[in-house]
Every structure is written in C-alpha cells, then in structure tokens.
Amino acid sequence: MTISVASGKGGTGKTTVAASLASVIPQSVYIDCDVEEPNGHLMLQPKFTLEESVNKLLPEIDYNKCDFCGKCIEVCEFNALINLKFEILLFAEMCHSCGACEYFCPQNAITEIPKELGKLRSGITENGIKFYDGLLNIGEATAVPLIRKVKAKIDNEKINIIDSPPGTSCSMVETVKNSDFCLLVTESTPFGLNDLKLAIDVVKNINVPFGVVINKYDETFEEMENYLTENQIEVMLRIPFDRKIAEAYSNGILPVNNSDKIRREFIGLIATIKKKIKSNVTQMTQKKQIFAD
Amino acid sequence: MKQIVILSGKGGTGKTTVSSAFAKLLQDKITIDCDVDAANLYLLLKPQSRNQFEYFGGKKASINPELCTQCGLCESVCRFDALHNYVIDPLSCEGCGFCYRVCPDDAIEFTETKSGNYFECNLIDDSKFYYAKLLPGEGNSGKLVSEIKKSALTNVGENIKWVIVDGPPGIGCPVNASLSGADFVVIVTEPTQSGIHDLKRLIELLKTFSIKCGIVINKYDLNEKQTLQITAYAGKENIPVLGYLPFDKDYIEAIKANKTIVEYSSKAAKDIENIWSKVEFFMDISKN
C-alpha cells in the first residue's frame, strides 16, 4: 500500500504530515522523493546504513570513429549536442539520457557512460521505520531519474509513505503516480487554496484518489471551506495554526511526538485512508466484473 | 538595469511575500513570477489587464493504431516507461522522439504540444508584470521559465532600473533557469532545521554560478538559537544578512486580504525598506 503526500505550494507541511504518518504506523516505509531538498531525515533521524550512487548516462564520442556526419545532433530533441566539425560538444545538463544518439550513430562512435546524478540513501529509524531518500547533486537539473530510483524502494508488503516535491510538474507527477492514495497538504491562505486547486487537477489527471489535510488551519478563511464544500472534497485532518507546533518543528520535533491529541488524530487518519483504499479496490473489482459479464 | 532573484531552497519560507513587497516598493521595474508550477504573486499584485500567450514546451509521441504492426521496437527503446501495450502515456513521454524515429511502420506521430500559458500584465502603477501557468503535470518547467524571462526582457524601456524575479523552490532546472542574468540573489530562509539544510544546498548552487547573494531570515523569532546559527553560517560564508522579519500573524493576514505586506503593515514596510536598501548597498559593493 502506497500513500503519497503532496502539495502544490511549498512549505505547507508535507514532510511534517508524511513523517507523522510514518511514525504512527508500525513497520512503515518512508520514502523521501523531494530529492532537490529532502528534509524527512531531519524529522525522522534515521541511521543511514547505505549510500549508493545513482547515475545518468551521457554520450561519449570516439573521435577515431566519428566523421562529424551530424546524425546525433539531428536525433537529439534536447539540443544537448553541437557539431563543431572538429568536436561534438555535449551540454550534459541538457541531456535526458534517452539513448537515441548512440542508437542512430552510423559509425558506432558513441558509447554511453554513467555520470553520478545523486545519491540514494537507505537507513532505519529508532522505532523501526525503513527510511529511503534521494539527494540530488548540486547543479544537476533533472530530478526525475533519481526519483524513479528512490521510488523503486517501495515495499508492497508494507505501508509506504512517500514525501513528494512541491509543485505540479514532472517531479511531482513521477512521485505521486501509481499511489493508492494521495494526501494533499494545504494551508488556510489564498496561496494555499490556489495551489491546492492546481494539485487537485494533477491527481485527478493521473487517477489517484485523494484527500486534503489543512495545516496551519484558520477557520476564518472561508474561501477554503466554501471551495471544498462546493466540490465535495473531504478534509481528512485539520492541524491548527499554533506557534508551539511551529517552534517544535523548527527543532525537528514532529507534532505527533509532542501532542497526544495530534497523535490520536494521525492514527485515525491512517485508519480512514486504509478503509478508503480498500473500498476503492472493491469498487474497481466490481467494475471489472461487470465489464467481464 | 539590475536583476534581483528571490530564492529559498525550501518552499513556504516567504519568497512571494518579499518579492511582492519589493515590487510594491520600487518604481521603474519589471516583475516576473518564475514559479510556474504554483504561481502566487499575481494574487497580491492584482494585474489590471493581461495578454495571454501559449507555451509549447516540446513534442510528444503518439501511436496510430491503424499503422502499428505491434513489433514492440518502440517499447524496447523507450527509457521513460511511457510505452505499454502499444499506447503512449503522454504524462510519462519525455519527448525524446526515439520511438518515432525507430518505428519501421511510420506509425508514430511526434508533434508539438502545448504545455502552458504565460501572461504579460500591467500593474496599477503601469509597470509590467509577467507570470505563467504550466498545464498540470507537464515537464519542461525550466524551459517555460526561460521563455517567460526572455519575453519579459526583450524590448525593455530605458527607464527600467530593476527586474524583480520571484523564484521557484528547490535547486533544480527551473531554479537554474530563473538565475540566468541575475545580478543579486535574495535568499529568504527560516530558522528551522529544514530551512537551514535547504539554505546550505542553495548557497552551494549559487557558488557554482558565482552570483552574489544576501539572506533574509523570516520568522526569525520562532527559534532565536537557529537564527544565530544562520547568522554565524552567513558570516563564515561571507554572505550578508540583509534583515530579520518576525513570526507575525500580520504576514498571513496580509495574504488573506490579498495585499502585499507593505500595504498592510507600516512596521513591516519599514523592515522591507531597510532590507531593500541593504540589497542596493551590497549589490554595489560586489561590483568592486
């Protein structure tokens, strides 16, 4: 079972919610896919046991074979190669490692060589949460291949909590797609609402069932309530705007470890999500049967 | 003309609050929102009018089932897991065109697709403001950032002194794109463990670009010990601290009222003015 935690806007509390969820589920797996700025380790304090390089492939040209025909440049959609007639110049940060240049080179002059993109770190926390995150190398532009490697750590026998990068573009989609459920974390401001709408568009697009958590909840922001009611979107948890929670967070302390009330709420939240996933599966099987009949 | 980019690494530390305050405060400027995933600045600057432009971020492949002989070659070359059972998932398609080129039956179409819109707007003070909206789930956000900046910075009037750029979170491709041509970066951070962790990664990135920067510590009184830690770190890295903003409900109330903080609170307006004067000061110093 895989539950991803995402949000359009950054800083709404994705990591707090994801790490809190992982903390209240025995034997959970926590996967931090915010590889540009991974913060889950600051909250869960795992002991890292393994760090592996994750590579991307870059073309290398054998000038003993290359006749500067320009086929590689023609097939590269990302303008990563330039033909200087005495050298084929590579802009490594533009390369998407699709492999077309190697395949189409008529002289077989191109070999793909691995270059480190970032690190995949594995560890375990004091209370037995399996922990994985990705750390993109500084200056590296493409996060998606690293996200894929980190996501490959999903353990289907367990409950996996995935912390997503902010935004609504490719990194977020790569992280959230194929989840059984997505929690969208927002906050009670017009920014939070605006970006929540964008995030809802994405999860609907990729057919992932979702629910909303309002963090820094402020009941006086009525536009949020109105929008959610009108669109029949369920709010699964409200975490109040509270300076004490913010102060604890600043020291890397999760609200579930600071307040029994919030801990109970998170235990309730995971129970509700499990029920929803189950009923989704039942519905899908029923539909399949109807289809088969 | 000087270009100031506001960044943070971590999201939600107050980039847009600071950018919108600068935009309100300054004359002779252009303002650009480069957070194309989740643009918020327009909510505070309230454009008076806007022109819409379409953005085509790249091509996508699709299979014509009538021509497809199901040889499976396309699936074998696709590295983006976009091809299953002779159907291409447009969200996974990276637009590399490998399948299109390799198909022996010419059954794959490879066409430009729209991946967003961008807007050229006029603000109430008659200055220009640009922002964009990526279609949900699209890639190429870095390219859209470059496109919007290019369109904002061509044909700039001679009277323009400042370009204010509200940047995206993170340290990946849209951040790199937002940094092109920057004269100074204002980093907005917060005294939390995550804030500091992400600040350090951002500063490492800025070093590779050799761009001068300064730090604004937002919500500084939330954790004064960590605020001191940031100040000490900044000193060690030889980066000026431009100012401190308090953890104060006024900042949220201003956003809820769809106002910039300088319109909402005169005390905050003073703080922001002080920060801006330091931006000007350190930008000048860095020339020598």
Side-chain angles (χ1 to χ4, degrees), chain A residues 36 96 112 168 177 218 250, chain B residues 79 92 94 171-172 226 256:
Chain A
E36 289 180 43
H96 289 224
E112 291 184 279
T168 57
K177 75 176 182 195
D218 173 353
S250 76
Chain B
R79 291 190 179 168
S92 297
E94 189 91 355
I171 57 164
Q226 303 216 34
K256 276 164 65 185

Side-chain angles (χ1 to χ4, degrees), chain A residues 194-210:
Chain A
N194 182 61
D195 301 350
L196 173 67
K197 290 178 188 168
L198 300 170
I200 288 175
D201 278 350
V202 176
V203 290
K204 278 189 174 164
N205 231 328
I206 54 177
N207 287 320
V208 173
F210 68 95

Side-chain angles (χ1 to χ4, degrees), chain B residues 1 3 7 15 21 70 78-79 90 93 147 158 184-186 188 190-191 222 231 234 263 288:
Chain B
M1 189 175 75
Q3 190 185 131
L7 291 175
K15 280 183 299 299
Q70 309 204 338
C78 176
R79 291 190 179 168
C93 176
E147 178 126 343
E158 270 177 28
F184 195 81
V185 173
V186 174
V188 185
E190 60 179 34
L222 192 61
T231 313
E263 294 165 282
N288 302 325

Side-chain angles (χ1 to χ4, degrees), chain A residues 65 67 69-72 101-109:
Chain A
K65 294 181 182 166
D67 62 359
C69 70
K71 186 74 188 172
C72 53
C101 56
E102 184 203 40
Y103 183 92
F104 288 106
C105 175
Q107 304 296 329
N108 281 326

Side-chain angles (χ1 to χ4, degrees), chain B residues 66-99:
Chain B
E66 281 172 24
L67 298 175
C68 175
T69 57
Q70 309 204 338
C71 70
L73 190 56
C74 52
E75 193 167 332
S76 76
V77 301
C78 176
R79 291 190 179 168
F80 306 101
D81 200 27
L83 262 149
H84 293 285
N85 300 320
Y86 321 105
V87 176
I88 298 173
D89 167 18
L91 277 171
S92 297
C93 176
E94 189 91 355
C96 72
F98 201 164
C99 58

